[in-house]
Amino acid sequence: MSESIYLDHAATTPLRPEVRAAMVAALEGPFGNPSSTHAYGRKAKVEVEKTRKAIASELGVSPGEVIFTSGGTEADNAALLLPVRDLKIGRIITAATEHHAVLHAAEQIARCYSVKLELVRLDAQGRVDLNDLEAKLKAGPRTLVSLMHANNEIGNLLDLQAAGELIHRYDGIFHSDTVQTLGHYRLNLAELPVDMLSCSAHKFYGPKGIGFLVLRNHLKLESYLTGGAQERGMRGGTENTPGLVGLGKAWELAYAHLDAERAHIQDLKLYFRDALQENIPQVEFNGLSADLDQSLYTVLSTRFPQLENDGGMLLFNLDLAGIAVSGGSACSSGSLQGSHVIRSLYPENKAATVRFSLGVSNTHEQLDRTVEVLKQHLN
Ligand code: PLP
């Protein structure tokens, strides 16, 4: 049996050994409640605040603007709920290709708070049509716009600067789901016109179940998880100290190694794209995935038209060969309808769709083997 190959880093990443070691030390070390004022509590509090400060400093925000959450889903839900509940927001605009943590939250909040929900137009490759966004913003009530920085299935990147400037010109509030890009890209909110960001540690070699929401100070919002005074009173509940230590370590290492790791993964993506085209000429790429400048360097999203209505079988065969990939997002892989992102871009699509997502420990040899296995099943 050959080695197993993990090509599903957009679903989740393995813990870095240093992150694991830091978390074990935190589990064995200061167990105090960070809210306690005695020495045990103070020690734990130092760990929590160290993580907060490191994140704030990288993102160009103040530490109080970082609200720790249980991950990306909670951060997205809070970002959609709070402006509608507490500010005079009459409408949410988002896109059909957003993660369900945004789309389903937007649908529910729009229903419960009787605000309008509109979807911005996308072009044939899934780019957000900023002219359509402007036309919509011109003609409506004060709006919360939620548009992701990078799509988790097809990898399309959004120009946050252009989108944010436009949204602010019309007095809108801008949330971006940056779950796939934080830890992989540098963002500076001292310059970028974005009001809220979501982040999840398990997408950059940190633990699952921990992340954060950045809420810029000018938004005057009240708590959404009511209880103790943690997280500036926004989110009650005793902090997950080991998780936060893991998030902090993963964050530190992600940014310390960002340039070298990005160069390595980008090189793998190019190599794999070219090898697929050479060996499986019918391959097609979803959205902007094949374009290095306009898509996540970690994601290559493919379609194989020679295999109609049989994507599941291809994923199964890859799995049998020890190669882990996904059809769309991990969250929708159990769904009979398949990926809502692929459906919204290619309604007639019957071709097998495979998302390959690359990480720091992948190699050219692993990609060669993946191409060989694909050839066996596709040619
Ligand atoms: N948003 C995007 C773009 C994602 O890829 C994910 C993870 O699958 C989430 C939100 C949800 O994050 P979490 O798994 O931390 O709840």
Side-chain angles (χ1 to χ4, degrees):
M1 173 87 188
S2 45
E3 61 149 357
S4 57
I5 300 174
Y6 187 75
L7 300 177
D8 203 13
H9 293 83
T12 196
T13 54
L15 277 186
R16 286 192 203 257
E18 301 92 323
V19 173
R20 184 181 179 281
M23 291 180 73
V24 170
L27 281 164
E28 290 171 347
F31 68 88
N33 185 325
S35 299
S36 300
T37 50
H38 49 60
Y40 290 83
R42 288 198 306 274
K43 268 192 186 152
K45 181 95 175 165
V46 165
E47 295 299 330
V48 170
E49 295 312 314
K50 209 166 89 186
T51 295
R52 198 190 308 277
K53 275 192 202 124
I55 292 167
S57 147
E58 174 62 43
L59 294 178
V61 301
S62 64
E65 292 176 301
V66 178
I67 310 293
F68 292 128
T69 66
S70 62
T73 301
E74 181 187 326
D76 283 345
N77 272 256
L80 287 157
L81 172 69
L82 295 175
V84 171
R85 194 196 62 185
D86 296 346
L87 308 173
K88 288 195 167 38
I89 291 296
R91 176 177 60 174
I92 300 172
I93 295 181
T94 184
T97 46
E98 291 290 316
H99 192 277
H100 279 155
V102 165
L103 266 184
H104 288 171
E107 283 158 11
Q108 189 184 54
I109 291 160
R111 209 169 49 241
C112 294
Y113 289 84
S114 301
V115 296
K116 274 183 151 169
L117 174 61
E118 290 182 48
L119 298 180
V120 69
R121 195 189 301 142
L122 304 173
D123 74 8
Q125 288 176 292
R127 279 188 204 88
V128 172
D129 180 341
L130 291 181
N131 292 326
D132 181 59
L133 180 60
E134 177 158 26
K136 285 185 162 66
L137 287 170
K138 257 183 196 163
R142 189 159 187 228
T143 299
L144 165 65
V145 180
S146 182
L147 293 172
M148 68 209 309
H149 184 202
N151 187 278
N152 52 306
E153 296 194 32
I154 55 175
N156 283 19
L157 281 168
L158 174 75
D159 179 345
L160 290 177
Q161 183 74 35
E165 278 174 13
L166 177 62
I167 293 159
H168 284 173
R169 203 176 309 141
Y170 293 94
D171 195 29
I173 294 175
F174 184 23
H175 165 249
S176 185
D177 176 334
T178 45
V179 167
Q180 291 289 341
T181 51
L182 285 181
H184 301 277
Y185 289 78
R186 291 197 173 85
L187 297 183
N188 179 7
L189 293 200
E191 285 160 13
L192 276 177
V194 183
D195 303 301
M196 294 181 279
L197 291 183
S198 311
C199 179
S200 180
H202 74 98
K203 306 293 186 182
F204 52 94
Y205 310 95
K208 294 167 183 59
I210 192 86
F212 62 85
L213 169 68
V214 172
L215 270 184
R216 298 312 312 265
N217 270 336
H218 63 268
L219 301 172
K220 301 289 173 230
L221 301 165
E222 287 186 39
S223 93
Y224 71 94
L225 208 52
T226 314
Q230 292 92 349
E231 304 307 306
R232 281 199 296 148
M234 292 299 299
R235 182 193 192 266
T238 302
E239 294 88 342
N240 170 2
T241 315
L244 288 170
V245 166
L247 164 61
K249 195 66 182 172
W251 184 266
E252 175 198 324
L253 295 173
Y255 284 96
H257 301 305
L258 194 138
D259 295 330
E261 293 184 347
R262 179 181 180 146
H264 169 65
I265 298 170
Q266 210 155 272
D267 167 65
L268 291 175
K269 175 169 168 172
L270 259 184
Y271 177 81
F272 191 44
R273 181 195 69 185
D274 295 349
L276 285 175
Q277 282 175 319
E278 202 173 304
N279 289 280
I280 306 166
Q282 282 166 286
V283 66
E284 292 169 5
F285 298 101
N286 294 314
L288 304 167
S289 182
D291 181 335
L292 268 192
D293 296 329
Q294 295 194 74
S295 71
L296 265 179
Y297 57 88
T298 47
V299 168
L300 189 64
S301 175
T302 59
R303 259 193 332 267
F304 299 105
Q306 62 268 55
L307 209 57
E308 274 203 359
N309 293 321
D310 216 2
M313 195 43 114
L314 182 59
L315 296 186
F316 178 71
N317 283 321
L318 285 164
D319 191 26
L320 270 186
I323 301 170
V325 297
S326 69
S329 74
C331 313
S332 64
S333 51
S335 140
L336 288 175
Q337 296 168 316
S339 148
H340 71 284
V341 175
I342 300 295
R343 244 182 303 128
S344 71
L345 284 189
Y346 311 107
E348 305 300 323
N349 178 61
K350 293 192 175 61
T353 306
V354 183
R355 176 187 67 180
F356 299 94
S357 48
L358 308 167
V360 290
S361 58
N362 289 137
T363 61
H364 292 99
E365 292 70 32
Q366 291 180 336
L367 298 178
D368 290 341
R369 162 133 181 83
T370 304
V371 172
E372 281 313 308
V373 173
L374 286 169
K375 268 167 73 178
Q376 285 166 23
H377 293 285
L378 290 168
N379 286 343

